[in-house]
Amino acid sequence: MIEYEKLLNYRIPEVRQRLTPRDVVFYALSVGLGQDPMDKRQLDYVDQDKALRVLPSMPVVLAHPGFWVSNPETGVDAVKVVHGEQSIALHAPLPIEGEIIGRTRVTGLVDKGEGKGALLYSEKELRDTHGTLLAVTGSTTFLRGDGGFGGPSGPVKPVNPIPESAPDITVDLPTRPEQALYYRLNGDDNPLHSNPDVAARAGFPRPILHGLCTLGVVTHALLRELGHYEAGSMKSMSLRFSSPVFPGETIRTEIWRSGAFRARVVERDVVVVNNGAAVFG
């Protein structure tokens, strides 16, 4: 059972990560870059023999605190946890090597009521050893089994609007059947993405792709079309996860020139990412 004040003030240990070019390459490969060996622009993110670039969604895995909500002290029913929303704000160029310091904290907790779950808001600041702020990531976690603990019913973050017009660009990018097994080596080891029994207990027919892996695939599409593969072109993005992706499915990202976007699984025609907004410049 969640105790509001205890979870709101739960101390998440600081994480220090020694970043290497190998980590940069592995992250890009884990979200699907490099599948076209003739696309030299993708090779800039996966070939250590080139002037390596960092995919702008990588802050979500840097100095990652792990699946900390699974600690029994949080009071969270970890089996029923689902990633709801994610944002990234980039403040300085991301390095390809060096020590990265991540400080994560709970910033809000919303009780949606008995049987309706709860929302947990958290934020991670990434800095280098000189104290330079590199990026801030924000996350909304839907605690499906934990409503009714007597917490506040708001405020709830507003969503980004999606235009009523048809998208200006569509990009289809495939995922691989084993992709979640690779992606979890970035530090997100929730067994929901690897263990069929855990997935079944959570109500899924098989392990699902990490929401943050889906975010990486969508970031690839945005970077290709709006940023022309320039790593420093993306300034921020935010999105809402609306349905899971099963590894092996194709993700179609629908993009508007304004920076609005959403994504759907081609095979099931199900929207998996909605209310997306990206800023390039």
Side-chain angles (χ1 to χ4, degrees):
M1 180 70 175
I2 287 178
E3 296 178 35
Y4 175 71
E5 290 292 339
K6 182 178 180 180
L7 183 54
L8 190 64
N9 295 290
Y10 184 81
R11 185 180 178 277
I12 305 167
E14 174 184 286
V15 177
R16 289 176 175 257
Q17 177 182 352
R18 175 61 63 178
L19 180 66
T20 70
R22 184 183 180 91
D23 299 321
V24 171
V25 168
F26 178 80
Y27 173 73
L29 290 171
S30 76
V31 298
L33 272 80
Q35 293 192 51
D36 182 354
M38 298 303 292
D39 189 337
K40 295 180 181 179
R41 300 173 302 172
Q42 291 187 43
L43 290 178
D44 288 340
Y45 293 86
V46 297
D47 186 349
Q48 293 186 65
D49 294 333
K50 300 174 73 67
L52 195 60
R53 301 180 180 188
V54 184
L55 199 66
S57 55
M58 194 175 183
V60 298
V61 301
L62 291 176
H64 183 61
F67 191 41
W68 62 269
V69 294
S70 65
N71 189 325
E73 292 184 5
T74 66
V76 172
D77 183 351
V79 173
K80 295 185 178 180
V81 163
V82 174
H83 199 155
E85 298 168 319
Q86 183 68 42
S87 65
I88 304 170
L90 297 157
H91 294 272
L94 298 172
I96 63 169
E97 59 184 326
E99 189 172 52
I100 305 294
I101 303 167
R103 298 185 178 97
T104 304
R105 64 188 181 95
V106 177
T107 58
L109 194 57
V110 174
D111 187 350
K112 297 177 71 68
E114 185 71 33
K116 297 181 180 180
L119 300 175
L120 185 152
Y121 297 114
S122 61
E123 181 180 276
K124 179 179 69 177
E125 285 190 356
L126 292 173
R127 298 181 183 268
D128 63 18
T129 53
H130 301 291
T132 301
L133 181 63
L134 302 173
V136 177
T137 67
S139 180
T140 303
T141 305
F142 186 27
L143 313 179
R144 295 185 298 158
D146 295 298
F149 55 87
S153 59
V156 176
K157 292 182 180 179
V159 298
N160 304 312
I162 289 292
E164 295 183 3
S165 61
D168 299 309
I169 307 163
T170 61
V171 180
D172 288 358
L173 293 173
T175 65
R176 300 185 303 272
E178 77 284 7
Q179 192 155 341
L181 301 176
Y182 285 116
Y183 187 85
R184 71 196 306 265
L185 297 179
N186 288 301
D188 192 341
D189 55 1
N190 183 344
L192 176 64
H193 307 292
S194 62
N195 189 319
D197 295 333
V198 173
R201 289 200 297 273
F204 299 108
R206 55 192 174 105
I208 63 176
L209 195 64
H210 301 69
L212 290 181
C213 187
T214 299
L215 177 146
V217 176
V218 170
T219 298
H220 179 192
L222 293 168
L223 185 66
R224 188 178 94 177
E225 297 300 330
L226 299 182
H228 310 292
Y229 281 107
E230 291 296 330
S233 60
M234 194 177 94
K235 306 305 179 185
S236 66
M237 73 174 302
S238 61
L239 54 76
R240 169 173 284 191
F241 300 109
S242 53
S243 189
V245 175
F246 295 107
E249 294 182 319
T250 302
I251 297 174
R252 173 172 293 164
T253 304
E254 301 172 339
I255 306 168
W256 286 261
R257 294 289 182 191
S258 64
F261 65 90
R262 68 181 171 221
R264 67 180 70 240
V265 163
V266 173
E267 291 82 356
R268 294 181 285 125
D269 194 27
V270 172
V271 174
V272 295
V273 164
N274 213 344
N275 304 107
V279 176
F280 283 77

